[in-house]
Each structure stands twice: as C-alpha cells, then as structure tokens.
Amino acid sequence: MDVNAINNNSISSLNTSSSSSLQLEKSSLSGKINNSEKEALNLSISDYNKQRDELSLNVQSLNDGIAMSKIAQNSIEKQQDYLKNIQNKLENINNLENKNDIKQSINEDLRNFNQVAYETKYKNESLLVNSYYDDKNSIDINTSSENFSMAKTNTANFANDIFETVNNSDLNNPENVSNALNKVASSSSELQNVSNQFSQFSKQLEEKALENIKEQNNLYNENKMNKIKDFGKESTDFTKSNINANAGYLAASQANIVQEQSVRLLS
C-alpha cells in the first residue's frame, strides 16, 4: 500500500473533520458572544430606561410644585385686591355720616378674601389655608436626589384679624379707623411675604427642573446614541478576536494530529 496515499487520505479526512469542528466551534463561540452582547445591551438599555424614568418623575414632581406656586400667587393677588378695597373704604370713611355703615361692605370683601383662600387648591391640597383637618402643615416636593418644603400660611387668619378689628370697634372714632387701616396694611405686608416665599420656592424648583431636563438630554445623547453604539462595536471586535484566536488554536492542534498520524503509518 502507498504510504503517501494513506497519509493524503488521512490528512484530507482529518482536514475535513477539523474544518467541521472549527465551524462548530465558531458557531458555538459566536452564539455565546452574541448572547452576552444581547444581555449586556439589554442591561444597558434597562439602566438607561430606569434613569430616564426617574428623571421624568423628578420633573413631573417639580412641575407640580411650580404649578402650586403660580396658583397660590395668582390667588394672593386677588386677596390683595380685596384688601385694597377695604383700605380705600376706610380712607374715605369721612364721607359717611355714620362711619359704622361701612362695616357691612368691608365684611363682604373679607368673605370674598376667605373664599379665595379656601378655594385655592392643587389636586385637592389647600395652598393658602392650614386648618385643623389638614394632613400637612407644609407644601412638600420630593425628588430622587433632593426634597423641597415650604410651610403653609393660613391667610384666612388675616381676614379674621381685620374682621375683629373693624367690627369690635366704633369707626366713628378716628383712632379706631387708624387702627383698622394699620391692621389692613400689616396684613397686606404679610400676604406679600407669603407671595414672595412662593416665588422663591418656584425659582428653586425651576432651577432643579432645568438640571433634570439637561441630565435627561445628556443621558439620551451619551448612553443611547454613543455608549450603546460603542458597546456594539466593541462586542463585535471581541467576537472576531476570539474566533480568530480559537481558529489558530485548532489549526495548531490539527497539525500536531496529522504529524502523529503520519509517524504511526510509517512505523
């Protein structure tokens, strides 16, 4: 028998077998890498979605606080108008023969003032009154990284104080009229302080909301557009490198096997 023929046949058969084995190894390795790539990619997307949802909830919560502030400030402007009406009536009280006749008109303004206070709400939460039945004494806005809080002021108390000052005194006495005017002025000043607090509260929330919106944009651009894209390229390069390395290993093993087989046949 021709030894060369035997060797050639053996080597050919071995090459075919090794080639098939190499293809199987490549397929198996490629499948493992692809699965790892998909798992890592899904994890990256999941983390991105989690951060994005968290930031969206933060912005929603901050927007609620901003809306509360704007609603409260608008209502305070209406209350200030009623206080101005009362002030004007007291300043022109000398036009009346009986100064106490103005009390009924002033009380009407005070009722309207209180009505605004009790009707100023956001999602059923009162913003300008703080009664015994209220669950919270403050307006709280919470985010994942920071909490904001503002104490509630019961503006209805301003109307109650003016009511007692006006109705429990004789307005025919100029001193009592002066006291009533001072009470209206001090109430108006305190009410303006409340409005300023809401304004400052709103600015803080707006600044934080802008930070979260910028962070959302950065997250989208970096994680979704760049990082995920780069990860896909790196995974592909990793797959190719591993397949080439295994191919070299199998080729070297194949050469050793052929050499050993040839030696046996010649022995």
Side-chain angles (χ1 to χ4, degrees):
M1 179 181 293
D2 188 352
V3 173
N4 291 331
I6 293 175
N7 285 342
N8 289 337
N9 290 336
S10 298
I11 291 171
S12 176
S13 174
L14 185 57
N15 285 339
T16 302
S17 174
S18 297
S19 177
S20 298
S21 176
L22 178 59
Q23 292 297 329
L24 289 173
E25 290 293 337
K26 284 183 178 181
S27 176
S28 175
L29 180 59
S30 178
K32 291 179 180 179
I33 296 298
N34 286 338
N35 288 337
S36 297
E37 180 181 347
K38 289 179 180 179
E39 290 177 2
L41 183 59
N42 289 335
L43 181 61
S44 180
I45 293 174
S46 175
D47 183 60
Y48 164 78
N49 288 335
K50 180 180 179 181
Q51 294 180 61
R52 181 195 62 187
D53 293 343
E54 185 177 86
L55 290 170
S56 295
L57 289 174
N58 287 348
V59 173
Q60 181 179 342
S61 179
L62 293 166
N63 281 339
D64 285 341
I66 294 170
M68 289 180 182
S69 299
K70 300 302 182 184
I71 291 171
Q73 286 178 280
N74 289 337
S75 293
I76 288 174
E77 288 183 8
K78 295 178 181 178
Q79 290 179 315
Q80 289 283 26
D81 288 338
Y82 290 120
L83 293 185
K84 288 178 182 177
N85 290 340
I86 295 172
Q87 180 181 354
N88 290 334
K89 291 172 183 178
L90 290 172
E91 288 176 343
N92 295 297
I93 199 171
N94 290 328
N95 296 329
L96 299 176
E97 183 176 350
N98 184 359
K99 311 300 186 290
N100 290 319
D101 290 343
I102 200 68
K103 291 181 180 180
Q104 183 176 353
S105 179
I106 290 176
N107 290 341
E108 184 65 26
D109 286 323
L110 294 175
R111 279 192 291 269
N112 291 333
F113 181 102
N114 270 352
Q115 184 176 359
V116 171
Y118 283 100
E119 289 181 353
T120 301
K121 297 181 179 182
Y122 182 81
K123 294 183 178 179
N124 294 324
E125 180 177 356
S126 297
L127 304 178
L128 297 180
V129 291
N130 184 20
S131 66
Y132 175 81
Y133 300 100
D134 286 338
D135 295 331
K136 299 192 305 179
N137 296 326
S138 61
I139 297 172
D140 302 310
I141 301 298
N142 302 319
T143 68
S144 60
S145 60
E146 191 172 355
N147 299 325
F148 301 86
S149 182
M150 173 182 168
K152 286 184 181 180
T153 300
N154 191 358
T155 61
N157 286 339
F158 300 151
N160 295 337
D161 291 343
I162 295 172
F163 177 87
E164 292 181 0
T165 301
V166 169
N167 287 275
N168 293 337
S169 60
D170 182 6
L171 296 182
N172 289 302
N173 184 335
E175 184 177 352
N176 292 337
V177 174
S178 179
N179 290 338
L181 281 168
N182 290 336
K183 177 59 67 175
V184 172
S186 63
S187 297
S188 178
S189 179
E190 291 183 57
L191 193 59
Q192 184 58 47
N193 289 337
V194 176
S195 180
N196 292 340
Q197 290 174 24
F198 274 110
S199 178
Q200 185 62 34
F201 189 63
S202 179
K203 287 180 180 178
Q204 292 177 349
L205 299 178
E206 288 173 3
E207 290 174 358
K208 190 63 178 180
L210 287 174
E211 288 180 13
N212 278 265
I213 291 171
K214 289 180 180 178
E215 192 173 348
Q216 277 183 313
N217 291 334
N218 292 336
L219 179 65
Y220 177 83
N221 292 330
E222 294 177 7
N223 288 9
K224 191 170 184 180
M225 298 299 292
N226 296 328
K227 290 185 179 179
I228 292 178
K229 179 180 177 181
D230 291 343
F231 173 78
K233 181 180 181 299
E234 291 169 2
S235 296
T236 301
D237 293 343
F238 178 77
T239 301
K240 291 179 179 178
S241 298
N242 277 272
I243 289 176
N244 290 334
N246 279 275
Y249 173 80
L250 290 172
S253 299
Q254 174 184 321
N256 292 332
I257 292 171
V258 171
Q259 184 178 5
E260 290 176 5
Q261 184 67 26
S262 298
V263 171
R264 289 196 195 98
L265 291 172
L266 293 172
S267 300

